[in-house]
Amino acid sequence: MSSPPFGGSNEMPAVFPDWSPYPDLDSAARAYLRDPEVALEALFGVLRGASVLCFTLERFVNEVNGVWQEVVVCDGSRLVLWHGEDVAPGDGPVGSMTSSLRVVPLSTITEVGCRRRLTRTTTGQARVDSIDVYLLLSSVDDAVPPPGLAEDDGRAPLRHDALRFGKTLDDGGPGQIARLEEFSRVVASLVGRPTL
């Protein structure tokens, strides 16, 4: 299945190809993202030959902005996050998108959490039907609190920044659930260890 190029048709399939069978970042991104060249150029510009220990991908269609895409790569000392999103109608020329990059040192991750929801098959075997992963960071979330939330004591609540990822059987399937769980385990195994 081919994807429309950047600035191409806004008609996207309801179900995207599965990236989970692809062990390497390049082929997984090319199978799954609408704009793999944009993502890979940004990511490899920062990685500069560093080994990719694990990665996860996300893509969905937003009713307002169109296609939203994300790649998160761990190279052993940092997370490199690429995010691409179509610009909302009226905020730029038709076919415009944003491409942003963020680098998070693993030393700033203070906690890794992974919650799996299990269901029983008719034979009684447990199977994972969804997974939620969060990475709590030492940086502070700079989002403005909703009106009235911080007015009681005159101080804004302090919230740590977090990265959140999720997959379900309907959104990604068992392969992507397993890959996200693998991603969380690799990152968790590195957090708190001295970096090289």
Side-chain angles (χ1 to χ4, degrees):
M1 176 176 195
S2 63
S3 302
F6 169 67
S9 169
N10 284 335
E11 293 183 25
M12 300 302 301
V15 178
F16 303 120
D18 185 9
W19 62 267
S20 66
Y22 300 93
D24 66 288
L25 176 61
D26 187 83
S27 49
R30 292 184 189 285
Y32 188 68
L33 299 177
R34 185 195 63 192
D35 303 294
E37 292 82 12
V38 175
L40 293 170
E41 178 184 11
L43 290 164
F44 290 141
V46 171
L47 291 168
R48 297 193 177 270
S51 296
V52 174
L53 299 183
C54 60
F55 61 89
T56 187
L57 300 148
E58 184 58 78
R59 173 177 154 183
F60 63 84
V61 176
N62 178 322
E63 290 97 26
V64 176
N65 291 6
V67 177
W68 187 96
Q69 307 166 89
E70 182 177 57
V71 181
V72 184
V73 176
C74 178
D75 70 358
S77 64
R78 62 200 168 155
L79 295 178
V80 182
L81 299 93
W82 175 82
H83 169 234
E85 184 173 7
D86 289 344
V87 173
D91 286 349
V94 174
S96 297
M97 69 175 283
T98 60
S99 172
S100 56
L101 200 63
R102 180 179 181 187
V103 177
V104 177
L106 291 183
S107 61
T108 65
I109 299 174
T110 60
E111 186 176 322
V112 177
C114 178
R115 181 167 67 182
R116 303 179 309 157
R117 186 175 68 191
L118 304 168
T119 56
R120 298 265 178 212
T121 64
T122 54
T123 63
Q125 183 179 9
R127 93 174 167 179
V128 179
D129 72 357
S130 72
I131 186 168
D132 292 304
V133 173
Y134 73 88
L135 309 177
L136 190 62
L137 306 178
S138 58
S139 56
V140 176
D141 186 353
D142 60 1
V144 177
L149 185 64
E151 295 172 1
D152 293 340
D153 61 6
R155 293 181 296 158
L158 201 62
R159 289 178 28 147
H160 283 274
D161 199 2
L163 303 173
R164 299 184 182 280
F165 312 99
K167 293 289 183 182
T168 66
L169 289 177
D170 293 332
D171 174 24
Q176 291 181 37
I177 289 172
R179 291 294 296 272
L180 180 54
E181 186 169 11
E182 173 192 357
F183 173 84
S184 73
R185 288 178 177 169
V186 171
V187 172
S189 74
L190 297 169
V191 168
R193 292 185 175 194
T195 56
L196 300 176

